[in-house]
């Protein structure tokens, strides 16, 4: 760096000051150069993820709409997803765990209406429908399980409602996404004068779903699938369930889509590792003939069916098996080959399985069954996070697209048949399957504390366990009444026994009204007994006053109270009357 004129003038007086000035100016120039290098071209701030450089040279994502990115590959992804669910043990376990946690033994409905009579009638109607053969084979809870599994594997599922014996919306039929297809291929693009059809879904002028174009038979059927005959089904008769991830999305994608390639790679890796393990069980051998021996003079004999050379006794080395002993010919040399160990393939395999589970949103131990590296805290954290994902799927996908429409259809149908329009006003409060506790003692204690603090109520707690609170309370009251009638006291009855197993003190709001007289006598006896043991004369005198007052007023408990105070004190009158 060349010194400026001012620096040289300063240097005449103080060379040290000149060097400091030059060093400061050089540092300032370096900072300015760094800022210019970091500033984007054109002076605009940009995201690093949007830059084009050598690190992103091969990254060319498409800019298509939600439907454009799905339509062309949906069929291939659907077929591959089902193949993995059929043949890959980890994917099979993943799908089964998802369905079990999302649906379990069924997502149940609790009818809600301001009129208790209508509410009770609606509940009876729904239970009768849900437990019937809604599709000719499954009840509604079995239909939920099959619908959710179809959505997970194929991306979407359609529940088509049809009439039965002249009654509308009386029968369900699940249809796979394979049968939802636009007629004549390019109909949705070329038919500019008609309705807009995307992937088999017809839209009206307002952009709402108007109809679904369904193949009568599955296209994969060996015989009838070749006919490819379509039916236009009005949208009011179809419930289309899938998980939307972008606005304007018409169809859903298989849930395994982000991790299919990883699973496929792991399948190939699994075969390679298994082959290597088999090789490690054998000893590879290379046979070298003697140099001073002419190959033409060696009697090779004839090869038998077992692969052995009869002339030399030497085995066919291409067919090595574990435990084989090789006998060589004179002059032959054998070199063994021992394969190396697997290294860190097990760690890599486990990490990739974790990525597959994370892509779906479930804890990896549910897919692999491996909890060897887990503890209570990690399992608890993973389970709580998984419950949040379950809530999202249940309340934002399954309930609004499958359960709510079914309940509304049944109530509308019965409102017409029974001529009771108030049934159509009923809504449903859905109860997912109960979730098993990680630590029952801690979890129950937490629920009790939340209820005592007023954060939740008993109906909400019972709903989490899959119980309808009205029916539960009625059943509990019936059991307690029968126990009281037979004179039974259970250790789990909080009216009689506290948490430590001791008898509860009598309380007016606990005992029945018919026992009011005996309650007052028992309470008086307890207070007097305690006062006598403590030698509390004031409390004993107060007891005499209460007994005398009861006798004077004609209270039927007066005689008993006087007898109690006399028996405990041995006197008929108080020693000191205040």
């Amino acid at each position: 760096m060349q010194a400026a004129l001012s620096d040289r003038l300063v240097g005449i007086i103080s060379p040290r000051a000149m060097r400091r000035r030059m060093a400061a100016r050089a540092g300032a120039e370096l900072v300015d150069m760094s800022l210019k290098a970091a500033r984007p071209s054109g002076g605009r701030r940009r995201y690093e993820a949007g830059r084009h450089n050598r690190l992103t040279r091969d990254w060319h994502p498409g800019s298509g709409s939600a439907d454009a990115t799905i339509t062309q590959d949906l069929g291939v992804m659907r077929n591959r997803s089902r193949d993995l669910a059929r043949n890959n043990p980890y994917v099979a376990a993943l799908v089964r765990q998802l369905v079990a946690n999302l649906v379990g033994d069924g997502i149940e409905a609790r009818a809600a209406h301001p009129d208790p009579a209508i509410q009770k009638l609606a509940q009876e109607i729904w239970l009768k429908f849900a437990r019937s053969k809604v599709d000719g084979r499954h009840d509604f809870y079995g239909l939920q399980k099959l619908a959710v599994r179809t959505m997970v594997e194929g991306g979407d599922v359609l529940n088509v409602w049809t009439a039965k014996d002249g009654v509308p919306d009386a029968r369900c039929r699940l249809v796979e996404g394979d049968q939802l297809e636009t007629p004549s291929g390019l109909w949705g693009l070329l038919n500019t004068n008609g309705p807009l059809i995307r992937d088999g879904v017809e839209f009206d002028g307002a952009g709402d779903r108007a109809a679904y174009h369904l193949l009568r038979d599955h296209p994969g059927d060996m015989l009838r699938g070749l006919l490819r005959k379509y039916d236009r089904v009005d949208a009011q008769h179809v419930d289309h369930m899938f998980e939307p991830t972008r606005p304007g999305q018409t169809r859903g994608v298989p849930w395994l889509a982000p991790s299919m390639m990883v699973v496929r790679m792991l399948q190939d890796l699994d075969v390679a590792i298994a082959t290597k393990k088999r090789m490690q069980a054998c000893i590879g051998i290379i046979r070298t003939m003697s140099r001073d021996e002419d190959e033409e003079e060696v009697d090779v004999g004839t090869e038998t069916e077992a692969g052995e050379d009869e002339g030399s006794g030497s085995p066919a080395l291409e067919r090595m098996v574990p435990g084989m002993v090789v006998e060589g010919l004179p002059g032959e040399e054998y070199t063994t080959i021992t394969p190396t160990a697997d290294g860190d393939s097990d760690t890599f395999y486990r990490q990739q399985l974790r990525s597959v589970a994370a892509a779906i949103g479930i804890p990896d131990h549910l897919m692999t069954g491996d909890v060897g590296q887990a503890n209570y805290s990690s399992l608890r954290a993973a389970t709580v996070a998984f419950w949040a994902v379950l809530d999202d799927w249940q309340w934002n996908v399954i309930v609004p697209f499958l359960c709510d429409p079914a309940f509304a259809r049944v109530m509308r149908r019965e409102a017409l048949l029974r001529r009771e329009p108030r049934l159509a006003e009923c809504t449903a409060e859905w109860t997912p399957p109960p979730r098993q506790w990680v630590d029952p003692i801690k979890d129950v204690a937490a629920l009790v504390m939340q209820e005592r603090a007023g954060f939740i109520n008993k109906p909400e707690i019972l709903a989490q366990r899959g119980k309808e609170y009205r029916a539960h309370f009625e059943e509990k009251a019936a059991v307690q009444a029968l126990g009281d009638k037979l004179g039974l006291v259970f250790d789990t009855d909080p009216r009689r026994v506290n948490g430590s197993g001791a008898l509860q003190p009598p309380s007016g709001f606990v005992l029945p009204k018919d026992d009011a007289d005996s309650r007052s006598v028992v309470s008086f006896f307890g207070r007097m007994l305690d006062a006598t043991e403590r030698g509390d004369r004031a409390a004993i005198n107060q007891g005499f006053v209460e007994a005398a007052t009861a006798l004077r007023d004609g209270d039927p408990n007066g005689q008993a109270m006087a007898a109690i105070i006399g028996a405990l004190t041995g006197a008929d009158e108080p020693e000191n009357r205040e």
Side-chain angles (χ1 to χ4, degrees), residues 375-387 436-439 442-443 446:
N375 52 37
Y376 172 79
S377 298
S378 61
L379 288 177
R380 177 70 179 179
T383 301
V384 171
F386 181 46
W387 285 352
Q436 300 301 322
W437 289 311
V438 178
D439 189 333
K442 294 181 180 179
D443 290 333

Side-chain angles (χ1 to χ4, degrees), residues 98-253:
L98 270 178
V99 176
N101 282 274
L102 286 170
V103 178
D105 56 358
I107 302 177
E108 299 184 355
R110 294 183 287 120
H113 193 274
D115 189 341
I118 297 298
Q119 181 273 330
K120 184 177 181 180
L121 176 60
Q123 188 69 37
E124 293 174 354
I125 292 173
W126 173 255
L127 290 178
K128 181 179 179 181
F129 164 79
R131 295 171 181 173
S132 64
K133 304 299 181 182
V134 296
D135 64 347
R137 179 176 176 82
H138 304 93
D139 60 10
F140 187 69
Y141 307 116
L143 190 82
Q144 290 177 357
K145 172 184 176 181
L146 188 58
V148 170
R149 183 182 182 92
T150 304
M151 176 182 63
V152 171
E153 292 183 3
D156 57 358
V157 64
L158 300 98
N159 186 19
V160 182
W161 294 77
T162 57
K164 181 180 180 182
D165 299 331
V167 179
D169 293 337
R171 188 181 181 91
C172 301
R173 178 171 66 95
L174 289 182
V175 177
E176 290 184 329
D178 307 61
Q179 295 178 241
L180 180 58
E181 185 178 282
T182 301
S184 303
L186 298 178
W187 179 271
L189 298 177
L190 302 179
N191 187 22
T192 57
N193 297 325
L196 174 63
I197 304 178
R198 287 202 192 109
D199 293 333
V201 182
E202 180 181 325
F203 295 87
D204 59 17
D208 298 327
R209 296 174 182 243
Y212 291 85
H213 295 263
L214 302 175
L215 288 167
R216 294 183 182 178
D217 301 288
H218 196 285
D221 189 272
M222 291 185 295
L223 297 177
R224 300 181 62 86
L226 300 176
L227 301 178
R228 306 191 71 82
K229 294 183 178 180
Y230 294 86
D231 288 325
R232 181 185 181 277
V233 183
D234 197 279
Q236 64 176 335
H237 302 305
V238 180
D239 299 331
H240 189 193
M241 183 174 67
F242 65 93
E243 182 183 17
T245 57
R246 293 181 62 181
Q249 184 175 335
T250 304
R251 302 286 301 275
V253 297

Side-chain angles (χ1 to χ4, degrees), residues 412-428:
R412 287 199 302 266
R413 182 190 70 195
E414 293 299 321
L416 293 174
L417 296 177
R418 299 172 184 263
R419 298 182 179 180
E420 178 53 77
R422 289 183 296 176
L423 284 174
E425 302 172 356
C426 292
T427 58

